[in-house]
Amino acid sequence: MGEIISTREAYGRALCECGENPDIVAFDADLTICTMSCYFAEKYPERFRNAGIAEANMIGMSAGVAATGKTVFCHTFAMFAAGRGYDQIRNSVAYPRLNVKVVGTHAGLSVGEDGATHQCIEDLSLMRTIPGMVVINPCDANETEAAVKAMIEYEGPCYLRLGRSGVENVTPNFKNYDFQIGKGVTLKEGNDVTIIATGLMVQIALEAAELLKGDGIVARVIDMHTIKPIDRDIIVKAAKETGAIVTTEEHNVIGGLGAAVAEVLGETYPVPLIRHGVEDIFGHSGTAQALMEKYGLNKNKLAEKVKLAVSMKR
């Protein structure tokens, strides 16, 4: 078992570590302890500002500082970033292509007890439709750290989706793992079907693949940490070699990873595709684990979807 740590915690540590770069500036919307920007704020107070509960203002301030040549990270919950900040992200950050990294934490159903108003299941869809926006959804601590470093090197707007709950740090277990923006990673080989996962569903996809062995199904597992630009090559290769694909995400099945993969397949190499995720419904208040079970975001439900995809292929 790998270390259990939330991607937001790993992010906070990584940003602080990279904070020695004097060109990095950070903003937060009065959620420093939740978003873990507190690490950066404590070590580099001269390059940190709390904008208060004013997300739109924070995005505007970030854009202004980025226009001076700085690399700006701004933080709030995913619901407030993608929702309240959408207009400013689109027009003040993406349109002039400024070097602002929008960090949305507490995404998805795993926010838990805060309920539907805070369980953002639309952010991947909203952010990936903005022209020129890079969208990243890391699955664990190791991948999050790599994503932070890659975003600093990348010149342009990015959206980083992070979770509240602790997740197993799995990517260090794979010797050939290499993080690159826009490049998926094959974690497990297989020729019967492909599972393309993002975020915390990567760990569940690996569990489902083990479960499927009992039914004689050898599933390929791809970690699609970058939703945009999507890795078209790895998707087409998987379609040609396995003949069926299942996507899995802690997000609405409409507009997110599943939609992005469907677009690629429709334009290149159509094969049976099943989308696994939140079935276009709002969440409820409850523990993260209870909600993941209630909405079928578990290895058993995913395995069922995979079996259906295999049957469609045959």
Side-chain angles (χ1 to χ4, degrees):
M1 293 288 289
E3 178 186 16
I4 303 296
I5 179 174
S6 67
T7 51
R8 64 184 175 117
E9 172 73 23
Y11 165 79
R13 295 179 185 178
L15 182 65
C16 186
E17 179 184 332
C18 296
E20 294 180 359
N21 181 341
D23 287 330
I24 295 178
V25 177
F27 288 89
D28 199 289
D30 205 33
L31 291 168
T32 56
I33 295 177
C34 297
T35 64
M36 297 297 174
S37 65
C38 53
Y39 292 121
F40 185 94
E42 291 169 4
K43 192 169 183 179
Y44 306 103
E46 72 282 1
R47 286 185 276 125
F48 175 83
R49 291 293 182 272
N50 188 341
I53 307 174
E55 293 81 8
N57 287 346
M58 178 184 68
I59 300 297
M61 293 161 67
S62 299
V65 173
T68 70
K70 301 295 184 181
T71 298
V72 183
F73 284 79
C74 57
H75 314 79
T76 185
F77 289 171
M79 190 69 252
F80 305 148
R84 293 179 182 174
Y86 181 86
D87 183 6
Q88 287 70 30
I89 292 172
R90 181 190 185 277
N91 293 322
S92 299
V93 172
Y95 179 47
R97 194 172 171 74
L98 293 175
N99 203 22
V100 175
K101 321 302 179 182
V102 180
V103 182
T105 70
H106 293 63
L109 294 180
S110 58
V111 172
E113 290 85 351
D114 289 349
T117 57
H118 285 57
Q119 294 163 355
C120 192
I121 56 171
E122 310 92 348
D123 53 324
L124 295 179
S125 176
L126 289 167
M127 291 297 104
R128 82 178 186 91
T129 58
I130 296 177
M133 178 67 73
V134 168
V135 180
I136 302 174
N137 184 30
C139 72
D140 65 8
N142 181 61
E143 192 161 81
T144 301
E145 180 179 351
V148 172
K149 294 176 180 177
M151 287 193 302
I152 291 172
E153 294 179 2
Y154 177 82
E155 186 72 25
C158 298
Y159 175 71
L160 180 66
R161 186 188 214 233
L162 302 173
R164 177 185 190 179
S165 303
V167 290
E168 185 181 356
N169 199 26
V170 295
T171 53
N173 299 332
F174 300 93
K175 294 181 180 179
N176 296 325
Y177 176 85
D178 178 45
F179 182 95
Q180 296 181 54
I181 291 176
K183 295 294 182 182
V185 183
T186 300
L187 299 181
K188 183 181 180 299
E189 292 290 353
N191 293 316
D192 294 329
V193 64
T194 298
I195 304 172
I196 301 180
T198 190
L200 58 74
M201 296 308 294
V202 168
Q203 288 86 333
I204 293 175
L206 291 168
E207 294 174 2
E210 287 299 311
L211 186 63
L212 287 161
K213 285 182 179 179
D215 295 300
I217 297 174
V218 182
R220 181 176 304 184
V221 178
I222 293 174
D223 169 10
M224 195 67 79
H225 50 69
T226 305
I227 308 300
K228 184 187 175 188
I230 197 81
D231 188 343
R232 297 172 68 90
D233 292 340
I234 201 171
I235 295 170
V236 174
K237 184 174 185 291
K240 290 180 177 179
E241 294 178 354
T242 70
I245 290 178
V246 177
T247 60
T248 181
E249 58 195 308
E250 187 200 6
H251 185 273
N252 194 341
V253 292
I254 298 173
L257 172 66
V261 172
E263 290 162 9
V264 173
L265 294 176
E267 294 173 349
T268 57
Y269 197 85
V271 296
L273 168 68
I274 300 292
R275 295 171 298 162
H276 176 242
V278 183
E279 298 287 345
D280 196 28
I281 188 173
F282 286 110
H284 294 278
S285 178
T287 65
Q289 184 59 39
L291 290 169
M292 295 291 280
E293 291 297 320
K294 176 180 175 62
Y295 291 93
L297 301 183
N298 55 52
K299 64 180 180 181
N300 293 316
K301 187 65 174 180
L302 177 54
E304 290 179 13
K305 296 282 188 179
V306 172
K307 292 176 186 177
L308 177 58
V310 171
S311 71
M312 293 168 64
K313 165 184 159 180
R314 290 172 180 168

